[in-house]
Amino acid sequence: MGGARPTIGVLALQGAFRAHRLVIEGLGAPVREVRTAAALDDVDALIIPGGESTTMSQLLDSSGLRAPLAARLADGMAVLGTCAGAILLASDIRDGREDQASFQSIDVTVRRNAYGRQLASFEADLEVADGAELPAAIHAVFIRAPRIERVGADVRVLAALGSEPVAVASGRAWATTFHPELSDDTRFHRAWLETVAGGAPMLG
């Protein structure tokens, strides 16, 4: 692990992991699909994709990944959680199963499927916060999106939809309620990769 070009893992248990992999590969960064603890050891940062958060949570247990991933996140590994991934990173989940567990990497309250079912999916232009490491204009895709209902004191809002936060960061953990991997615009991933690299050579 380590080196001048950090290797990006994409959690590949369920959901939209291939779309993230294609974006990261297109940006020229080394990428690995992560399904086991051994594969997790080989990456420097991780993307937790959208999908079904309850199913993904169960697969984290059955694969034996939950404990090693929790340890890496506690050690400060950079992570990007999108949609279901945001739910898995949140400190508080609303409308989840009683036994659903999260990694509590970001002090936010997230409500599952808060914008409605699949038919209520939509696209929108976001407001990017001043000083955020993001491009000035982001067009975002929301699919059965969760809603961030509370943001902790140490959490930065990177982008909002109206008055509602939809991209947040805490330390090296980022989360979005939308799907940046489903847009033709790769600038969101590029911005996150640049924070992962911390100024070191990263992108081709």
Side-chain angles (χ1 to χ4, degrees):
M1 187 177 71
R5 291 165 57 88
T7 298
I8 306 302
V10 181
L11 187 66
L13 299 177
Q14 190 264 347
F17 57 88
R18 289 190 177 86
H20 280 290
R21 175 170 187 157
L22 290 173
V23 174
I24 298 298
E25 288 177 336
L27 290 169
V31 59
R32 302 281 187 277
E33 292 185 2
V34 173
R35 297 184 178 85
T36 64
L40 181 65
D41 287 341
D42 290 335
V43 304
D44 299 288
L46 185 71
I47 295 174
I48 303 178
E52 212 296 311
S53 63
T54 303
T55 301
M56 210 178 301
S57 182
Q58 293 169 338
L59 291 172
L60 282 165
D61 291 326
S62 61
S63 67
L65 262 173
R66 184 180 295 280
L69 179 50
R72 290 292 306 275
L73 293 173
D75 285 343
M77 179 179 67
V79 63
L80 166 63
T82 62
C83 199
I87 295 170
L88 291 174
L89 293 177
S91 59
D92 184 31
I93 302 171
R94 301 287 168 86
D95 289 343
R97 283 176 39 147
E98 290 187 2
D99 60 347
Q100 186 168 359
S102 70
F103 293 106
Q104 303 193 9
S105 299
I106 304 178
D107 183 19
V108 291
T109 298
V110 173
R111 187 175 297 279
R112 293 176 69 243
N113 302 332
Y115 292 98
R117 301 177 65 82
Q118 191 89 7
L119 290 176
S121 300
F122 62 98
E123 298 183 20
D125 293 325
L126 306 182
E127 298 286 337
V128 175
D130 292 341
E133 303 94 331
L134 295 178
I138 299 177
H139 186 74
V141 178
F142 294 82
I143 301 174
R144 294 179 62 195
R147 175 172 273 154
I148 298 172
E149 296 187 337
R150 181 192 60 84
V151 174
D154 295 330
V155 177
R156 292 186 298 132
V157 176
L158 302 176
L161 177 63
S163 61
E164 296 188 7
V166 295
V168 294
S170 178
R172 304 193 77 202
W174 285 29
T176 74
T177 60
F178 58 91
H179 289 263
E181 78 282 6
L182 298 182
S183 167
D184 293 333
D185 186 346
T186 62
R187 294 177 302 159
F188 184 92
H189 283 85
R190 177 177 288 274
W192 179 71
L193 288 173
E194 288 174 348
T195 70
V196 172
M202 179 72 185
L203 303 176

